[in-house]
């Protein structure tokens, strides 16, 4: 069954709680749970809620294998903004995951193509991703698949969009020149193979991209719009990120009337 569930919450903290509930529910049903991790600011509240759930015994991180979406090319692994460090800090330590089961692409590898191919092999060997947490870029990217990315793409080297470099300069003390130009990222097809997706977005800066993802035509101009073809995508938004949706009334009505036998 193909379903995109759209849940609008009052604020970013509630977005995190709802997303964490969905992730917990999906992983609890899997004997060898595999989690897909996004970095950036959007999923921070989700990781905080998952950390609370782990502390309260509602989420078991002990058997979880995890794969991160992307990494900058050329940033030393111990740089505070390398996704190696960010994943360690924001996810592994907070949730209590086993570091040896957490995979992050190595943007310093001497053979980047082989690194991408090997990452795909590791994902396959783990049995694929059960639930992928995603944010969305203001330009509609998922992972670092910028507008124009092939919908059939797999893990590979990409050039970051100027807008993404401007947006991410805030993590580099506002110095755009310090933001790497290239990255490694799971492809759109790689992401689409996750059995479930939980995408979180908050803030007015995401409203246009969110509307294009859900209601725009599906195409490479908005990589997140590929999710319209995903069998099980849950989109959790705050009011500001949902502000551009034309059919909001229907999404709320569908949510309020979806018995568990229907979805
Ligand atoms: C991060 C990633 C990106 C971000 C997106 C939103 O691993 O893949 O797609 O999710 O750029 O970033 P924030 O959440 O910082 O607005």
């Amino acid at each position: 069954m193909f379903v995109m569930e759209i849940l609008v919450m009052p604020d970013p903290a509630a977005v995190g709680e709802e997303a964490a509930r969905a992730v917990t529910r999906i992983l609890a049903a899997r004997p060898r749970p595999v989690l897909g991790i996004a970095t950036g600011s959007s999923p921070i509240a989700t990781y905080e809620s998952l950390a609370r759930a782990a502390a309260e015994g509602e989420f078991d991180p002990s058997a979880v294998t995890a794969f991160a979406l992307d990494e900058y090319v050329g940033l030393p692994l111990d740089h505070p903004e390398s996704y190696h460090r960010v994943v360690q800090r924001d996810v592994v330590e907070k949730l209590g995951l086993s570091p040896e089961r957490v995979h992050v692409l190595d943007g310093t590898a001497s053979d980047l193509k082989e690194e991408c191919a090997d990452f795909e092999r590791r994902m396959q060997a783990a049995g694929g991703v059960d639930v992928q947490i995603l944010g969305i870029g203001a330009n509609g990217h998922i992972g670092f698949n910028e507008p124009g990315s092939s919908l059939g793409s797999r893990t590979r080297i990409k050039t970051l969009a100027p807008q993404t470099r401007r947006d991410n300069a805030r993590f580099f003390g506002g110095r755009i020149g310090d933001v790497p130009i290239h990255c490694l990222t799971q492809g759109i097809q790689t992401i689409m193979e996750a059995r479930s997706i939980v995408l979180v977005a908050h803030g007015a800066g995401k409203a246009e991209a969110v509307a294009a993802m859900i209601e725009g035509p599906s195409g490479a101009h908005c990589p997140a719009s590929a999710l319209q073809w995903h069998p099980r995508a849950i989109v959790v938004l705050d009011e500001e990120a949902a502000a551009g949706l034309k059919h909001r009334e229907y999404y709320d009505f569908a949510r309020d009337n979806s018995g568990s036998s229907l979805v």
Side-chain angles (χ1 to χ4, degrees):
M1 177 157 75
F2 279 66
V3 55
M4 184 186 269
E5 201 175 333
I6 297 151
L7 304 172
V8 183
M9 312 303 293
D11 55 52
V15 170
E17 279 163 29
E18 186 64 32
R21 262 196 295 277
V23 168
T24 302
R25 193 174 61 235
I26 293 163
L27 291 185
R30 306 293 302 181
R32 291 193 304 148
V34 181
L35 174 64
I37 301 169
T39 49
S41 49
S42 305
I44 297 280
T46 305
Y47 297 135
E48 280 166 0
S49 292
L50 281 172
R52 271 196 301 278
E56 287 161 13
E58 290 160 9
F59 167 69
D60 177 12
S62 63
V64 172
T65 297
F67 291 88
L69 276 173
D70 40 23
E71 175 60 291
Y72 294 112
V73 166
L75 214 54
L77 300 188
D78 60 358
H79 186 288
E81 291 307 324
S82 83
Y83 286 169
H84 270 78
R85 284 295 308 136
V86 173
V87 164
Q88 181 66 28
R89 196 170 61 223
D90 290 350
V91 190
V92 175
E93 286 168 15
K94 271 191 194 159
L95 271 60
L97 301 183
S98 305
E100 69 279 7
R101 271 205 284 268
V102 178
H103 303 259
V104 185
L105 283 152
D106 183 351
T108 68
S110 54
D111 185 342
L112 292 172
K113 276 191 184 161
E114 175 49 27
E115 171 63 13
C116 293
D118 183 59
F119 191 80
E120 290 261 354
R121 284 193 291 270
R122 282 184 271 156
M123 289 178 84
Q124 274 198 352
V129 170
D130 290 310
V131 56
Q132 175 68 56
I133 298 174
L134 289 180
I136 180 172
N139 64 1
H141 73 209
I142 47 174
F144 276 143
N145 295 284
E146 305 287 21
S149 293
S150 163
L151 298 180
S153 53
R154 306 208 67 88
T155 305
R156 69 210 183 295
I157 308 161
K158 284 289 287 180
T159 304
L160 290 170
Q163 181 177 354
T164 301
R165 294 185 70 237
R166 282 193 295 274
D167 289 347
N168 285 10
R170 71 190 195 279
F171 297 117
F172 292 82
R175 293 178 298 276
I176 190 166
D178 288 359
V179 183
I181 292 173
H182 297 105
C183 63
L184 304 181
T185 181
Q186 289 186 32
I188 297 176
Q189 185 59 34
T190 317
I191 294 169
M192 289 290 285
E193 286 170 10
R195 284 180 275 278
S196 296
I197 302 270
V198 174
L199 184 144
V200 287
H202 56 79
K206 299 295 172 68
E208 201 179 318
V210 163
M213 163 177 72
I214 296 171
E215 297 177 341
S218 176
H221 66 288
C222 176
S225 66
L227 299 183
Q228 292 174 22
W229 297 94
H230 194 278
R232 185 78 183 95
I234 302 171
V235 178
V236 194
L237 308 168
D238 76 347
E239 290 286 351
E240 288 185 350
L245 293 171
K246 284 204 189 83
H247 302 289
R248 168 71 189 279
E249 182 190 23
Y250 173 64
Y251 309 137
D252 290 352
F253 186 73
R255 179 198 58 202
D256 294 344
N257 290 282
S258 65
S260 55
S261 60
L262 292 175
V263 291

